[in-house]
Amino acid sequence: MGEPENDLFFSAASLWEIVIKCGLDREDFKVDPCVLRRSLLDNGYHELPVLSEHAVAIGTLPPIHKDLFTRLLVAQAMVEIITLLTVNIQVAKYPGPVQRV
């Protein structure tokens, strides 16, 4: 890894969500998760696994967003002290390391 403030991560939870939604034939999830994962790794992203500590941290979150995958991403950011970038206005309302872009 380079400078920690410049490291890029992707969550295993994001790929998990994509696999599920692709399986449901969602039109907004037409991507091959295997190709996406390989592309992220090839472009210098680091994979962030889902840990039990992340799951437990979900319980500390205020009920701002109902999507379980989103809540897991916020919890991961809090536990790992990394900034979660989002375009979602609701997600950006979470306290902690969440930034709207």
Side-chain angles (χ1 to χ4, degrees):
M1 288 191 211
E3 296 181 41
E5 65 272 11
N6 295 326
D7 287 339
L8 298 172
F9 294 87
F10 70 94
S11 175
S14 295
L15 289 178
W16 183 11
E17 180 177 23
I18 290 167
V19 167
I20 289 170
K21 291 183 177 175
C22 282
L24 296 172
D25 287 329
R26 289 260 311 256
E27 287 298 318
D28 54 339
F29 282 85
K30 295 294 182 190
V31 62
D32 183 329
C34 294
V35 172
L36 176 58
R37 180 180 181 273
R38 176 59 18 216
S39 295
L40 289 166
L41 292 170
D42 288 349
N43 284 285
Y45 285 72
H46 305 283
E47 185 170 354
L48 182 61
V50 176
L51 304 176
S52 58
E53 185 177 8
H54 302 149
V56 171
I58 293 170
T60 68
L61 297 177
I64 294 171
H65 202 282
K66 293 185 182 200
D67 180 82
L68 298 178
F69 288 105
T70 298
R71 294 175 60 79
L72 179 53
L73 295 176
V74 172
Q76 284 184 303
M78 289 173 42
V79 168
E80 301 300 329
I81 312 172
I82 56 178
T83 303
L84 173 63
L85 301 177
T86 182
V87 297
N88 188 301
I89 295 169
Q90 285 298 108
V91 175
K93 291 180 182 178
Y94 277 103
V98 180
Q99 181 180 337
R100 186 165 178 244
V101 291

